Structure formats: structure tokens, C-alpha cells
Amino acid sequence: QVQLAESGGGLVQVGGSLSLSCTASGRTFSSFGWFRQAPGKEREFIGAISWSGPKGNTVDQSITESVKGRFFLDRNNARDTVYLQMNKVKPEDTAVYSCAAQPGGGLKRRDDEYPYWGQGTQVTVSS
């Protein structure tokens, strides 16, 4: 019954922006990750976001160096949806982007640390 649903993928021009969302249902998570896989390449870590504290107000984030400064993470107020904001996209950003969640806390950067995954959404950057 646990589901992660990604949305927001599509076609975007070079230099444009795109926002992906990932909504969790069936249980509550406080640790999410974003990954992508391009044709002919292995899956790579993009970023992670987690929160802690009595009110979940202590937020930690990690962004991989290759997209730092262009991609940003966020969450909604209900804490059931995380976002990947993609700015100044490049052709090499073309990939299937997947959202993942894990029941523990903290930032996770390996795909085998996430037991729950979304279906993935295609992002295509046109030159």
C-alpha cells in the first residue's frame, strides 16, 4: 500500500526549468532521495532531503556536485511531498528521474539504502 508517485516530467528546452514532485502515500517518511538514469549509463544519485526534530523543522539536504547550483530540493508543508527543482537544464540532464524513500532518518546517497521507489518520470532536454 506504500506508494511514491512522481510527476512533472516532460520535454524542456536547453536552459529552461522543470519541477518534479514526489508524493508518498500509505505511510509517513522523513527521508527522500532523487536519482536519475540516462540511456547507457548507471543510475546516479542526484540529491537527498530529510528532516528531524519534534516538529520536523530541522532539514538536511545533499546535492551532488554535478548539479549543485542548478538543482534544488524542497518539501511541502504537509511533509508528504518532495520536489526537485531543475534550472538551466542541459542536454546531459536527459534521463529517467526516480524518487525514493526510506523509513529511517538522515541523508542516504546509495540506491540500495532506499526500499521504496516511485515509477520514474522521463525528463527530456531538447537542444
Side-chain angles (χ1 to χ4, degrees), residues 2-18:
V2 175
Q3 289 186 333
L4 300 179
E6 299 115 331
S7 63
L11 180 65
V12 60
Q13 295 182 2
V14 169
S17 298
L18 199 66

Side-chain angles (χ1 to χ4, degrees), residues 6-7 10 16 23 25 28 30 41-42 47 50 69 75 78 86 103 116 123 127:
E6 299 115 331
S7 63
T23 299
S25 61
T28 300
S30 60
K41 296 185 177 180
E42 296 183 351
S50 67
R75 70 175 187 187
M86 306 167 59
Y116 302 101
V123 173
S127 302

